[in-house]
Amino acid sequence: MCSVCGCSGQVSSTERAEAHDAQGSARDRPHVQDNCDRHEAHLHGDQGLQHSHQAGHDHPHHPGGPQAHGGQALVSRDADPAALKVAGMSCQGVIQVGRDILGKNSRIAAENRALFMADELLVFNFMSSPGAGKTSLLVRAVSELKRSCTIGVIEGDQQTSNDAERIRSAGVPAIQVNTGKCCHLDAAMIGEAYRRLPPLTRGILFIENVGNLVCPAAFDLGEACKIVVLSTSEGEDKPLKYPDMFAACSLMLINKIDLASLLEFDLGRTVEYARRVNSKIEVLTVSARTGEGFGAFYAWIDKQAAHQRRALKDTRR
Amino acid sequence: MHEMALCQSIVEIVEEEARRRSFSQVRSVCLEIGALSHVAPEAIRFCFAVVATRTIAEGAALKIIECPGVAWCMICSKSVKIARRDECCPHCGSYHLQVTAGEEMRRKELEID
């Protein structure tokens, strides 16, 4: 059964490296055994044997020492399992687990982030509802940014490689991840896809997530920033309807701004609603069709690149 | 329906603990779900029943402790309870809130036989 959706037949897949390099040959990197052609590729659990001390857990650590807990034996995670087994007796009781449900995804996201930092790569995770204009926005951005730096794109969709083909037509390497029945990209999918892209050292990786304003917000991919794209045709109250998404993002890009007057779109109210759920969110208005606002967007990218360079410098001291 | 993926993760940890500690039955699984987390408890209940089928967790009771949302108001410097992300500070009406609790999604404990 698929660990993502419970389906028995639908699988997600990542394009082979040879298929999507618009600029050169695929990287010769060792293949990590999280094959996206198998159901096991979706690593959503937390199988690490050591729990994180950053994740909250309130149990004391006394190896092998049962403690009173609600009238039942409490077994520490550090207890020696052998000490629990007595011939002919069950090991009835309560086991404290205290681990983040998203722990495994978070661990893989941290590995991705370390890899991106080592490659001095700036990574953005674009999210929106379907039809907000993410792909059009990226096609314009990569067409213009490819002149000044190395660019790569990971495209996430349930089906088809249409979006990756649009990006490749703009002269930039792109890899399509088809998620099958899955409603979001996860860190394992990104790790796999990145290894199949050509080298992007000191460049920018754009990830276009599955069109969905709910699920993708929950999954760290290892990106530097999450960006939500909201189009003027969607209405001002989207941030209130989907607060988790807007709370998770550093930047809200309001696309199709050229249609604002036609649609009587209230920009002030939209920004006010977004800042109710995330007082720190930055806001830029753009039009992927006309190019309006893209200069400010590129300036914002430059600012994030400078932040990352400073962070990298600090870690290397 | 990302809750399905999260329930798969919950079942995986139960199976892992079963292998490590050699128990064969799980009576209950206890989760802590924050009011401001990315999951709905009712969706988790529905998905858990589906994902647990034919695993060691099949038939286990699912106990969900719902943790309240708490935020720090940057205007009046107070810790306040919020049930939703779009709520303002009940003292000053400001939306300059920094969430400090209520985003957790944790497996707390397992009751085993």
Side-chain angles (χ1 to χ4, degrees):
Chain A
M1 186 181 73
C2 175
S3 61
V4 173
C5 60
C7 70
S8 57
Q10 187 80 28
V11 296
S12 78
S13 59
T14 306
E15 282 180 310
R16 290 189 2 257
E18 297 76 16
H20 44 73
D21 185 353
Q23 293 177 335
S25 59
R27 256 186 300 195
D28 183 18
R29 280 194 175 188
H31 181 71
V32 177
Q33 285 304 312
D34 58 348
N35 183 354
C36 282
D37 296 322
R38 299 197 323 255
H39 288 290
E40 292 79 1
H42 305 287
L43 306 172
H44 297 284
D46 179 0
Q47 293 177 324
L49 294 179
Q50 298 300 318
H51 63 252
S52 164
H53 281 252
Q54 289 171 335
H57 67 288
D58 52 6
H59 60 279
H61 292 220
H62 300 299
Q67 301 149 55
H69 181 81
Q72 291 176 296
L74 183 150
V75 182
S76 151
R77 280 189 48 76
D78 291 344
D80 174 9
L84 304 174
K85 288 183 279 184
V86 179
M89 292 182 69
S90 70
C91 50
Q92 187 179 65
V94 176
I95 297 172
Q96 297 291 295
V97 179
R99 279 156 64 177
D100 189 340
I101 291 169
L102 275 166
K104 190 165 191 175
N105 185 79
S106 301
R107 181 175 56 76
I108 298 166
E111 289 168 5
N112 289 349
R113 190 166 280 116
L115 186 61
F116 298 150
M117 285 294 270
D119 288 351
E120 297 179 48
L121 183 69
L122 191 58
V123 184
F124 297 110
N125 175 9
F126 280 76
M127 298 175 284
S128 78
S129 54
K134 291 190 299 301
T135 312
S136 299
L137 195 151
L138 281 176
V139 166
R140 178 177 283 276
V142 301
S143 301
E144 292 170 351
L145 291 172
K146 71 178 183 184
R147 293 192 284 266
S148 54
C149 70
T150 311
I151 306 278
V153 178
I154 296 172
E155 285 286 342
D157 280 303
Q158 268 198 292
Q159 291 183 180
T160 82
S161 57
N162 294 358
D163 286 357
E165 284 159 14
R166 284 175 67 188
I167 298 291
R168 289 197 284 265
S169 297
V172 166
I175 187 161
Q176 183 78 47
V177 178
N178 282 143
T179 59
K181 298 260 183 240
C182 183
C183 49
H184 57 270
L185 290 170
D186 67 30
M189 295 177 194
I190 295 305
E192 171 69 19
Y194 180 59
R195 285 166 177 84
R196 297 186 190 195
L197 278 167
L200 301 173
T201 308
R202 288 185 289 281
I204 301 173
L205 173 65
F206 293 111
I207 299 166
E208 184 181 339
N209 218 309
V210 178
N212 175 349
L213 275 177
V214 183
C215 311
F219 292 83
D220 182 9
L221 306 180
E223 71 280 309
C225 299
K226 287 183 165 78
I227 298 171
V228 59
V229 180
L230 175 70
S231 61
T232 53
S233 55
E234 293 175 73
E236 295 86 353
D237 58 356
K238 272 284 196 297
L240 298 183
K241 289 177 173 175
Y242 300 93
D244 290 351
M245 175 59 75
F246 291 83
C249 290
S250 310
L251 174 68
M252 173 168 67
L253 276 179
I254 298 177
N255 191 27
K256 307 184 189 179
I257 199 65
D258 52 318
L259 302 179
S261 58
L262 199 68
L263 298 165
E264 297 179 350
F265 176 75
D266 189 333
L267 176 62
R269 198 143 53 100
T270 307
V271 175
E272 184 210 328
Y273 289 158
R275 291 198 171 137
R276 278 191 195 183
V277 299
N278 181 352
S279 61
K280 295 176 182 169
I281 197 166
E282 294 183 79
V283 183
L284 293 172
T285 58
V286 293
S287 167
R289 192 177 69 88
T290 67
E292 181 185 342
F294 272 69
F297 176 43
Y298 300 150
W300 184 88
I301 289 174
D302 288 343
K303 190 174 72 174
Q304 304 314 311
H307 282 321
Q308 180 154 301
R309 278 195 300 273
R310 276 197 298 274
L312 200 60
K313 210 170 168 180
D314 290 346
T315 57
R316 288 176 176 176
R317 271 179 189 157
Chain B
M1 194 72 163
H2 59 294
E3 283 86 356
M4 197 67 91
L6 299 179
C7 284
Q8 184 70 30
S9 161
I10 294 163
V11 170
E12 277 175 11
I13 195 69
V14 172
E15 289 176 327
E16 179 195 320
E17 290 293 330
R19 282 194 299 273
R20 289 180 68 233
R21 301 174 188 275
S22 303
F23 57 82
S24 57
Q25 202 174 348
V26 182
R27 272 194 283 163
S28 71
V29 176
C30 180
L31 308 177
E32 286 180 328
I33 303 289
L36 308 177
S37 73
H38 293 277
V39 297
E42 58 273 21
I44 286 282
R45 285 186 198 284
F46 173 81
C47 294
F48 182 77
V50 174
V51 171
T53 305
R54 291 192 294 279
T55 74
I56 192 171
E58 184 167 22
L62 187 65
K63 298 175 183 174
I64 296 181
I65 299 167
E66 297 189 40
C67 310
V70 183
W72 179 256
C73 176
M74 290 177 263
I75 303 302
C76 57
S77 297
K78 282 181 183 161
S79 192
V80 298
K81 280 194 175 182
I82 53 169
R84 294 173 10 170
R85 285 194 185 273
D86 60 338
E87 285 185 5
C88 61
C89 172
H91 303 295
C92 70
S94 159
Y95 289 99
H96 287 274
L97 301 175
Q98 182 70 47
V99 172
T100 54
E103 294 179 312
E104 51 276 269
M105 295 186 283
R106 275 199 296 267
R107 286 155 294 203
K108 190 169 186 289
E109 58 189 31
L110 308 174
E111 195 178 1
I112 61 170
D113 279 336

